[in-house]
Tab-separated table of all heavy atoms in Angstrom:
chain	number	residue	atom	x	y	z
Q	1	MET	N	6.174	22.240	37.154
Q	1	MET	CA	5.634	22.116	35.762
Q	1	MET	C	5.342	20.685	35.498
Q	1	MET	O	6.219	19.814	35.684
Q	1	MET	CB	6.657	22.694	34.787
Q	1	MET	CG	6.046	23.241	33.502
Q	1	MET	SD	4.971	24.663	33.714
Q	1	MET	CE	6.165	25.904	34.126
Q	2	ASN	N	4.137	20.328	35.070
Q	2	ASN	CA	3.768	18.941	34.926
Q	2	ASN	C	4.445	18.304	33.693
Q	2	ASN	O	4.821	17.119	33.757
Q	2	ASN	CB	2.246	18.773	34.738
Q	2	ASN	CG	1.471	19.230	35.976
Q	2	ASN	OD1	1.960	19.121	37.099
Q	2	ASN	ND2	0.286	19.758	35.821
Q	3	TYR	N	4.582	19.089	32.619
Q	3	TYR	CA	5.122	18.567	31.386
Q	3	TYR	C	6.115	19.579	30.789
Q	3	TYR	O	6.041	20.792	31.081
Q	3	TYR	CB	4.017	18.275	30.379
Q	3	TYR	CG	2.976	17.327	30.857
Q	3	TYR	CD1	1.786	17.834	31.425
Q	3	TYR	CD2	3.130	15.976	30.808
Q	3	TYR	CE1	0.816	16.966	31.929
Q	3	TYR	CE2	2.200	15.116	31.278
Q	3	TYR	CZ	1.024	15.608	31.846
Q	3	TYR	OH	0.049	14.772	32.333
Q	5	VAL	N	6.331	19.790	27.345
Q	5	VAL	CA	5.608	20.293	26.196
Q	5	VAL	C	4.232	19.537	26.105
Q	5	VAL	O	4.178	18.349	26.261
Q	5	VAL	CB	6.362	20.022	24.863
Q	5	VAL	CG1	5.609	20.640	23.676
Q	5	VAL	CG2	7.787	20.504	24.921
Q	6	ILE	N	3.193	20.327	25.811
Q	6	ILE	CA	1.900	19.791	25.495
Q	6	ILE	C	1.703	19.914	23.964
Q	6	ILE	O	2.006	20.959	23.370
Q	6	ILE	CB	0.770	20.543	26.224
Q	6	ILE	CG1	0.933	20.360	27.721
Q	6	ILE	CG2	-0.628	20.091	25.714
Q	6	ILE	CD1	-0.074	21.202	28.563
Q	29	LEU	N	2.797	15.653	26.862
Q	29	LEU	CA	1.332	15.335	26.945
Q	29	LEU	C	0.754	15.622	25.594
Q	29	LEU	O	0.861	16.732	25.074
Q	29	LEU	CB	0.638	16.212	27.998
Q	29	LEU	CG	-0.844	16.092	28.024
Q	29	LEU	CD1	-1.336	14.687	28.424
Q	29	LEU	CD2	-1.476	17.175	28.986
Q	30	GLY	N	0.107	14.616	24.995
Q	30	GLY	CA	-0.624	14.811	23.751
Q	30	GLY	C	-2.133	14.751	24.030
Q	30	GLY	O	-2.632	13.886	24.705
Q	31	LEU	N	-2.823	15.728	23.438
Q	31	LEU	CA	-4.284	15.824	23.600
Q	31	LEU	C	-4.937	15.767	22.227
Q	31	LEU	O	-4.553	16.452	21.287
Q	31	LEU	CB	-4.633	17.138	24.246
Q	31	LEU	CG	-4.110	17.361	25.686
Q	31	LEU	CD1	-4.338	18.772	26.151
Q	31	LEU	CD2	-4.741	16.388	26.652
Q	164	GLU	N	2.582	10.840	27.327
Q	164	GLU	CA	1.196	10.537	27.787
Q	164	GLU	C	0.225	11.056	26.751
Q	164	GLU	O	0.196	12.240	26.476
Q	164	GLU	CB	1.029	11.250	29.161
Q	164	GLU	CG	-0.390	10.992	29.761
Q	164	GLU	CD	-0.593	11.744	31.053
Q	164	GLU	OE1	0.451	12.133	31.670
Q	164	GLU	OE2	-1.734	11.950	31.436
Q	166	ARG	N	-3.677	11.497	25.547
Q	166	ARG	CA	-5.073	11.451	25.985
Q	166	ARG	C	-6.017	11.738	24.795
Q	166	ARG	O	-5.890	12.731	24.108
Q	166	ARG	CB	-5.312	12.540	27.066
Q	166	ARG	CG	-4.552	12.286	28.355
Q	166	ARG	CD	-4.702	13.422	29.343
Q	166	ARG	NE	-4.146	13.165	30.610
Q	166	ARG	CZ	-4.819	12.655	31.662
Q	166	ARG	NH1	-6.134	12.501	31.592
Q	166	ARG	NH2	-4.193	12.445	32.779
Q	169	GLU	N	-10.344	14.138	24.288
Q	169	GLU	CA	-10.175	15.225	25.204
Q	169	GLU	C	-9.722	16.497	24.465
Q	169	GLU	O	-8.554	16.851	24.415
Q	169	GLU	CB	-9.094	14.849	26.310
Q	169	GLU	CG	-9.106	15.872	27.435
Q	169	GLU	CD	-8.236	15.341	28.634
Q	169	GLU	OE1	-7.959	14.125	28.702
Q	169	GLU	OE2	-7.846	16.223	29.422
Q	170	PRO	N	-10.701	17.174	23.856
Q	170	PRO	CA	-10.355	18.431	23.060
Q	170	PRO	C	-9.906	19.545	23.969
Q	170	PRO	O	-10.390	19.689	25.110
Q	170	PRO	CB	-11.681	18.711	22.369
Q	170	PRO	CG	-12.745	18.136	23.231
Q	170	PRO	CD	-12.120	16.900	23.801
Q	171	VAL	N	-9.004	20.374	23.427
Q	171	VAL	CA	-8.612	21.588	24.107
Q	171	VAL	C	-9.728	22.599	24.014
Q	171	VAL	O	-10.218	22.881	22.971
Q	171	VAL	CB	-7.311	22.134	23.465
Q	171	VAL	CG1	-6.974	23.527	24.047
Q	171	VAL	CG2	-6.131	21.167	23.691
Q	172	GLU	N	-10.067	23.173	25.202
Q	172	GLU	CA	-11.111	24.196	25.250
Q	172	GLU	C	-10.524	25.586	25.272
Q	172	GLU	O	-11.112	26.566	24.742
Q	172	GLU	CB	-11.997	23.986	26.450
Q	172	GLU	CG	-12.821	22.674	26.363
Q	172	GLU	CD	-13.732	22.469	27.575
Q	172	GLU	OE1	-13.541	23.169	28.598
Q	172	GLU	OE2	-14.647	21.666	27.451
Q	173	ALA	N	-9.327	25.725	25.916
Q	173	ALA	CA	-8.705	27.028	26.003
Q	173	ALA	C	-7.227	26.854	26.352
Q	173	ALA	O	-6.871	25.841	26.949
Q	173	ALA	CB	-9.411	27.929	27.046
Q	174	TRP	N	-6.419	27.843	25.995
Q	174	TRP	CA	-5.041	27.816	26.359
Q	174	TRP	C	-4.562	29.263	26.659
Q	174	TRP	O	-5.168	30.220	26.181
Q	174	TRP	CB	-4.173	27.195	25.302
Q	174	TRP	CG	-4.206	27.903	23.977
Q	174	TRP	CD1	-5.098	27.655	22.928
Q	174	TRP	CD2	-3.371	28.970	23.544
Q	174	TRP	NE1	-4.821	28.527	21.867
Q	174	TRP	CE2	-3.795	29.305	22.212
Q	174	TRP	CE3	-2.323	29.700	24.114
Q	174	TRP	CZ2	-3.205	30.356	21.471
Q	174	TRP	CZ3	-1.705	30.713	23.402
Q	174	TRP	CH2	-2.140	31.044	22.095
Q	175	SER	N	-3.570	29.403	27.479
Q	175	SER	CA	-3.008	30.693	27.816
Q	175	SER	C	-1.524	30.521	28.128
Q	175	SER	O	-1.049	29.465	28.414
Q	175	SER	CB	-3.734	31.310	28.976
Q	175	SER	OG	-3.617	30.543	30.149
Q	176	GLU	N	-0.818	31.689	28.057
Q	176	GLU	CA	0.613	31.715	28.355
Q	176	GLU	C	0.863	32.752	29.387
Q	176	GLU	O	0.251	33.812	29.433
Q	176	GLU	CB	1.354	32.057	27.078
Q	176	GLU	CG	2.858	32.133	27.251
Q	176	GLU	CD	3.530	32.857	26.045
Q	176	GLU	OE1	2.965	33.846	25.559
Q	176	GLU	OE2	4.608	32.393	25.616
Q	177	ASP	N	1.843	32.485	30.299
Q	177	ASP	CA	2.258	33.463	31.213
Q	177	ASP	C	3.818	33.445	31.228
Q	177	ASP	O	4.420	32.754	30.422
Q	177	ASP	CB	1.736	33.239	32.638
Q	177	ASP	CG	2.017	31.846	33.169
Q	177	ASP	OD1	3.166	31.391	33.043
Q	177	ASP	OD2	1.108	31.248	33.775
Q	180	GLY	N	5.166	29.657	31.861
Q	180	GLY	CA	4.774	28.500	31.067
Q	180	GLY	C	3.397	28.691	30.372
Q	180	GLY	O	2.946	29.805	30.158
Q	181	VAL	N	2.773	27.585	30.017
Q	181	VAL	CA	1.480	27.603	29.391
Q	181	VAL	C	0.491	26.771	30.182
Q	181	VAL	O	0.896	25.846	30.866
Q	181	VAL	CB	1.594	27.062	27.904
Q	181	VAL	CG1	2.417	27.958	27.053
Q	181	VAL	CG2	2.048	25.630	27.924
Q	182	THR	N	-0.769	27.180	30.116
Q	182	THR	CA	-1.845	26.439	30.706
Q	182	THR	C	-2.830	25.999	29.647
Q	182	THR	O	-3.216	26.810	28.817
Q	182	THR	CB	-2.539	27.302	31.738
Q	182	THR	OG1	-1.609	27.707	32.795
Q	182	THR	CG2	-3.700	26.523	32.444
Q	183	VAL	N	-3.213	24.785	29.662
Q	183	VAL	CA	-4.161	24.218	28.743
Q	183	VAL	C	-5.348	23.614	29.478
Q	183	VAL	O	-5.116	22.816	30.415
Q	183	VAL	CB	-3.528	23.146	27.794
Q	183	VAL	CG1	-4.539	22.516	26.863
Q	183	VAL	CG2	-2.364	23.771	26.968
Q	184	ARG	N	-6.524	24.023	29.063
Q	184	ARG	CA	-7.717	23.520	29.767
Q	184	ARG	C	-8.543	22.630	28.876
Q	184	ARG	O	-8.800	22.973	27.676
Q	184	ARG	CB	-8.536	24.739	30.274
Q	184	ARG	CG	-9.881	24.336	30.980
Q	184	ARG	CD	-10.537	25.501	31.634
Q	184	ARG	NE	-10.800	26.588	30.669
Q	184	ARG	CZ	-11.838	26.608	29.892
Q	184	ARG	NH1	-12.686	25.575	29.857
Q	184	ARG	NH2	-12.034	27.651	29.058
Q	185	THR	N	-8.979	21.516	29.338
Q	185	THR	CA	-9.943	20.629	28.679
Q	185	THR	C	-11.095	20.401	29.587
Q	185	THR	O	-11.081	20.821	30.782
Q	185	THR	CB	-9.284	19.289	28.313
Q	185	THR	OG1	-9.111	18.522	29.491
Q	185	THR	CG2	-7.951	19.505	27.638
Q	186	ALA	N	-12.110	19.613	29.160
Q	186	ALA	CA	-13.226	19.347	30.026
Q	186	ALA	C	-12.782	18.421	31.153
Q	186	ALA	O	-13.441	18.389	32.213
Q	186	ALA	CB	-14.337	18.681	29.238
Q	187	ALA	N	-11.693	17.674	30.930
Q	187	ALA	CA	-11.227	16.772	32.003
Q	187	ALA	C	-10.242	17.366	32.992
Q	187	ALA	O	-10.019	16.728	34.046
Q	187	ALA	CB	-10.590	15.569	31.317
Q	188	GLY	N	-9.673	18.537	32.686
Q	188	GLY	CA	-8.680	19.063	33.616
Q	188	GLY	C	-7.908	20.189	33.055
Q	188	GLY	O	-8.119	20.610	31.909
Q	189	THR	N	-6.985	20.673	33.834
Q	189	THR	CA	-6.101	21.800	33.474
Q	189	THR	C	-4.665	21.318	33.595
Q	189	THR	O	-4.273	20.665	34.597
Q	189	THR	CB	-6.321	23.042	34.339
Q	189	THR	OG1	-7.653	23.441	34.225
Q	189	THR	CG2	-5.429	24.168	33.935
Q	190	TYR	N	-3.856	21.633	32.600
Q	190	TYR	CA	-2.487	21.120	32.516
Q	190	TYR	C	-1.524	22.282	32.372
Q	190	TYR	O	-1.824	23.248	31.697
Q	190	TYR	CB	-2.338	20.108	31.370
Q	190	TYR	CG	-3.337	19.005	31.355
Q	190	TYR	CD1	-4.504	19.129	30.483
Q	190	TYR	CD2	-3.227	17.899	32.161
Q	190	TYR	CE1	-5.423	18.124	30.464
Q	190	TYR	CE2	-4.191	16.914	32.203
Q	190	TYR	CZ	-5.271	17.000	31.286
Q	190	TYR	OH	-6.223	16.016	31.310
Q	191	ARG	N	-0.312	22.055	32.933
Q	191	ARG	CA	0.734	23.054	32.836
Q	191	ARG	C	1.958	22.470	32.104
Q	191	ARG	O	2.251	21.250	32.315
Q	191	ARG	CB	1.171	23.549	34.199
Q	191	ARG	CG	0.185	24.434	34.901
Q	191	ARG	CD	0.205	25.842	34.395
Q	191	ARG	NE	1.471	26.520	34.744
Q	191	ARG	CZ	1.857	27.712	34.281
Q	191	ARG	NH1	1.092	28.315	33.342
Q	191	ARG	NH2	3.005	28.219	34.656
Q	192	ALA	N	2.643	23.299	31.340
Q	192	ALA	CA	3.831	22.865	30.638
Q	192	ALA	C	4.699	24.030	30.391
Q	192	ALA	O	4.290	25.194	30.414
Q	192	ALA	CB	3.454	22.148	29.347
Q	193	GLY	N	5.940	23.726	29.962
Q	193	GLY	CA	6.856	24.839	29.598
Q	193	GLY	C	6.592	25.360	28.255
Q	193	GLY	O	6.888	26.519	27.940
Q	194	ALA	N	5.948	24.563	27.371
Q	194	ALA	CA	5.670	25.021	25.971
Q	194	ALA	C	4.445	24.270	25.411
Q	194	ALA	O	4.067	23.225	25.936
Q	194	ALA	CB	6.891	24.770	25.100
Q	195	LEU	N	3.862	24.861	24.406
Q	195	LEU	CA	2.695	24.308	23.788
Q	195	LEU	C	2.888	24.247	22.260
Q	195	LEU	O	3.363	25.203	21.649
Q	195	LEU	CB	1.489	25.145	24.075
Q	195	LEU	CG	0.143	24.875	23.342
Q	195	LEU	CD1	-0.377	23.446	23.669
Q	195	LEU	CD2	-0.926	25.911	23.675
Side-chain angles (χ1 to χ4, degrees):
M1 207 64 71
N2 296 331
Y3 303 95
V5 185
I6 295 173
L29 170 64
L31 297 170
E164 180 182 342
R166 293 175 174 264
E169 191 170 341
V171 171
E172 295 182 344
W174 60 270
S175 61
E176 178 195 42
D177 56 42
V181 296
T182 301
V183 175
R184 179 171 55 81
T185 73
T189 300
Y190 308 99
R191 288 281 291 169
L195 171 63

